[in-house]
Amino acid sequence: MQVLSKMTPVPTTCFEYVHPWTQSCTLATAELMLVGVQYCLRIYAAVYAFSLLMRGRVPTLAELTKTIRGWLQSTAFLTANAFSYSMFLCFLRRVTGSFNFYTASYVPAFLAALVSIMVERSSRRALLALYVSNVATETMWNILQSRGLVRSLPYGEIAIFGLSTSMLMYCFRRNRQKDYRDSMFDVVRFAIGDSEVLKVEPVAPPAALEETSPAARDEKSARPSQPRTSGKRSLPFPFIQTVLRAYQQLTGRLKALGKHKLCRHRHGCVYDTLSSGARMFSMGLGIQVVMKMVLQMRKFINRPQLIRKTFLSKEIARLGLFLGGFTTIYKMSSCLLRHLTDSDSPAFAFPSGLLASTAFAFYADKTIALYIMWKTLQITYNWGIDRGYVPRVPGFTVMLYAVSTALLFHAATIEPENLRPSYWKFLHSISGGRICIMDRSGFDVYGLNTSGQIRTMMELCKTEPILQGNLS
């Protein structure tokens, strides 16, 4: 089959292509609006309810009012993005008289995204732009790879994560979180702690460590603890007492080990490194266990034998190994650099971050790597604006959202196999299944096997109902 130019018109109408279930463009747009608003109300109800629960207290009337208003506004934004896409498709077809490779999806999707993002609150636009840019970056790479222009590199996601994390850690060590109240810095602070931030007051050692010398501390920790005579009953199992006593002695010795004069953690470098790593490993393991219990509860009830197999598998520890390994390697290498150079510098974040990123191999994920990359770019861009290194581009966030969303809609229409499956299912749900029955056969002339790709993607959603809320 001859492959036509991307600007060659395709002789198809919007009835044949956009809405084959009805001949009316107005009715098709109205259907998408009604189906979309039902789906968006459910989605954002869960999102905003979760945000209230995360506050850990009973919301006030003002907070409830603000939450409901945000819920309705976000619903209006996402619904507008859905139905205005169909509206602009039909509008451009009437104006130009035909479709081509670009007006078949990208241009109307860009216009729809540009209009709808203005409906959303300005405080949420950056977050939305960051999310769609993340997915669009992966989609663009898949498109280029399908054309043979690029090829995947081994451990490429680890390299992206390492470079991005190193820059993020550099900003953290320079105490940039005072200038940019970003949630990513809260995550870093939780994992690494404030001891790696420069230009802070040194943390005073505990009183017990100030009063005694290192030799006296070692002697005290090695001395067996005397039983208390306060009248409290001892533990019933001597084995537990022995284990606790050994643990206390071990932690006491580790705390008493030396640290560099520029290290700002309270205890010895070894204890700080191991305790931080163990804490993050426990956190990751706990998250995995809870997620497995919640997401697979029905399977566990029907097949109890899966419980043992699931929680004894290596997969359950992957997140914990990543979080614990990253924290341990980063703090250990930072302390070693201070000991070796007898100095402290924000530049230590680069070698430490690169070394620590090797732990990402336990939980390598493109979505996480790209998210960290875009967050780092956002923080670096804002820092460059404040320093005068780069100009502030008016409307940059809005344009980034529109360009990225248009790419995702275009891929879903013309070459959906290059789209992330989860995003395809999202578009399937918000359109009530209509995205699957759009007749794209006319666009096979561009040589991308569009019809064949659609049949493949329909298998992902074969259990979901088609044409929900049909008015025709």
Side-chain angles (χ1 to χ4, degrees):
M1 182 182 65
Q2 182 181 5
V3 178
L4 301 181
S5 167
K6 297 297 189 294
M7 296 301 295
T8 301
V10 174
T12 184
T13 65
C14 56
F15 162 60
E16 297 169 336
Y17 161 49
V18 183
H19 45 81
W21 61 90
T22 178
Q23 296 185 7
S24 172
C25 299
T26 304
L27 186 59
T29 301
E31 287 182 4
L32 282 170
M33 182 178 67
L34 291 178
V35 173
V37 74
Q38 296 175 47
Y39 176 80
C40 296
L41 281 171
R42 293 195 305 269
I43 290 297
Y44 279 112
V47 171
Y48 279 91
F50 181 74
S51 66
L52 285 178
L53 291 175
M54 289 299 292
R55 297 180 183 181
R57 54 183 172 82
V58 179
T60 63
L61 180 60
E63 289 174 338
L64 283 175
T65 303
K66 183 179 179 181
T67 299
I68 293 174
R69 190 176 301 167
W71 171 42
L72 296 177
Q73 188 171 0
S74 296
T75 299
F77 144 72
L78 194 54
T79 304
N81 207 341
F83 78 81
S84 60
Y85 171 66
S86 174
M87 181 183 67
F88 278 115
L89 273 170
C90 296
F91 173 75
L92 289 175
R93 168 66 175 80
R94 292 179 180 273
V95 171
T96 62
S98 63
F99 290 107
N100 60 40
F101 185 79
Y102 301 103
T103 59
S105 187
Y106 190 90
V107 175
F110 176 83
L111 295 175
L114 201 61
V115 170
S116 62
I117 191 63
M118 304 307 296
V119 178
E120 183 59 285
R121 290 176 297 163
S122 57
S123 59
R124 282 181 49 83
R125 292 173 188 171
L127 180 64
L128 291 167
L130 191 69
Y131 169 73
V132 294
S133 299
N134 185 342
V135 186
T137 303
E138 180 182 345
T139 303
M140 176 56 73
W141 179 268
N142 293 337
I143 291 174
L144 296 175
Q145 190 175 23
S146 67
R147 287 159 171 73
L149 299 177
V150 297
R151 63 178 182 178
S152 294
L153 300 176
Y155 311 108
E157 64 275 9
I158 299 178
I160 293 174
F161 179 83
L163 294 173
S164 303
T165 303
S166 299
M167 188 64 198
L168 183 65
M169 290 299 182
Y170 175 79
C171 294
F172 181 75
R173 286 177 64 88
R174 292 294 299 267
N175 215 11
R176 295 299 177 203
Q177 57 270 28
K178 287 186 176 181
D179 302 323
Y180 313 112
R181 299 293 180 180
D182 197 284
S183 59
M184 184 55 64
F185 285 132
D186 295 333
V187 175
V188 175
R189 181 182 292 106
F190 178 79
I192 303 300
D194 286 326
S195 62
E196 295 298 329
V197 180
L198 298 184
K199 301 180 180 180
V200 296
E201 292 297 327
V203 178
L209 297 181
E210 287 180 342
E211 295 173 357
T212 57
S213 64
R217 288 199 301 269
D218 291 341
E219 181 182 354
K220 183 178 180 180
S221 61
R223 191 185 308 145
S225 58
Q226 299 296 327
R228 296 184 178 182
T229 59
S230 58
K232 294 183 179 180
R233 296 180 62 184
S234 61
L235 293 175
F237 302 104
F239 175 73
I240 297 179
Q241 288 182 305
T242 303
V243 171
L244 289 177
R245 189 179 299 114
Y247 174 77
Q248 292 173 351
Q249 291 180 356
L250 176 61
T251 55
R253 288 181 177 275
L254 291 177
K255 289 179 181 179
L257 292 177
K259 66 174 184 176
H260 194 271
K261 60 184 178 181
L262 295 177
C263 290
R264 292 177 171 82
H265 41 78
R266 298 182 63 86
H267 302 293
C269 295
V270 176
Y271 175 81
D272 182 72
T273 298
L274 294 179
S275 62
S276 298
R279 177 173 61 88
M280 294 306 300
F281 173 79
S282 303
M283 181 70 64
L285 183 62
I287 292 174
Q288 285 285 83
V289 170
V290 172
M291 288 181 63
K292 291 289 185 181
M293 290 295 296
V294 172
L295 298 178
Q296 301 187 28
M297 180 62 69
R298 183 176 298 179
K299 291 183 179 180
F300 291 155
I301 294 175
N302 296 332
R303 300 175 60 188
Q305 63 271 22
L306 288 178
I307 298 178
R308 174 183 173 87
K309 182 179 179 181
T310 300
F311 293 111
L312 292 182
S313 65
K314 297 179 181 179
E315 295 296 316
I316 201 71
R318 288 176 60 229
L319 180 60
L321 289 172
F322 158 53
L323 295 178
F326 180 89
T327 304
T328 300
I329 296 174
Y330 183 85
K331 302 203 76 169
M332 177 183 65
S333 56
S334 296
C335 290
L336 283 176
L337 287 171
R338 283 189 284 266
H339 279 279
L340 293 175
T341 64
D342 198 26
S343 63
D344 197 7
S345 170
F348 288 172
F350 291 103
S352 299
L354 290 174
L355 285 174
S357 65
T358 56
F360 191 57
F362 290 112
Y363 201 76
D365 185 86
K366 289 186 292 186
T367 302
I368 296 176
L370 291 175
Y371 178 79
I372 298 295
M373 182 191 75
W374 277 102
K375 287 296 293 185
T376 303
L377 289 175
Q378 179 191 24
I379 294 171
T380 306
Y381 175 66
N382 291 332
W383 175 76
I385 291 175
D386 291 345
R387 289 298 185 94
Y389 297 148
V390 294
R392 182 182 297 275
V393 180
F396 177 77
T397 301
V398 173
M399 292 301 297
L400 180 62
Y401 174 83
V403 169
S404 300
T405 303
L407 177 63
L408 297 178
F409 274 65
H410 186 77
T413 305
I414 304 299
E415 40 192 319
E417 287 186 356
N418 291 321
L419 188 66
R420 185 183 296 178
S422 60
Y423 199 83
W424 169 265
K425 292 182 178 180
F426 161 72
L427 294 178
H428 180 276
S429 299
I430 199 174
S431 66
R434 288 164 176 80
I435 188 175
C436 289
I437 61 175
M438 294 171 64
D439 185 7
R440 301 164 171 85
S441 58
F443 302 105
D444 287 337
V445 296
Y446 296 123
L448 297 174
N449 190 27
T450 300
S451 298
Q453 292 192 41
I454 292 298
R455 286 191 293 270
T456 301
M457 299 302 291
M458 285 178 66
E459 293 296 320
L460 295 174
C461 308
K462 60 183 178 181
T463 59
E464 299 184 24
I466 302 295
L467 288 180
Q468 303 168 358
N470 196 343
L471 299 179
S472 56

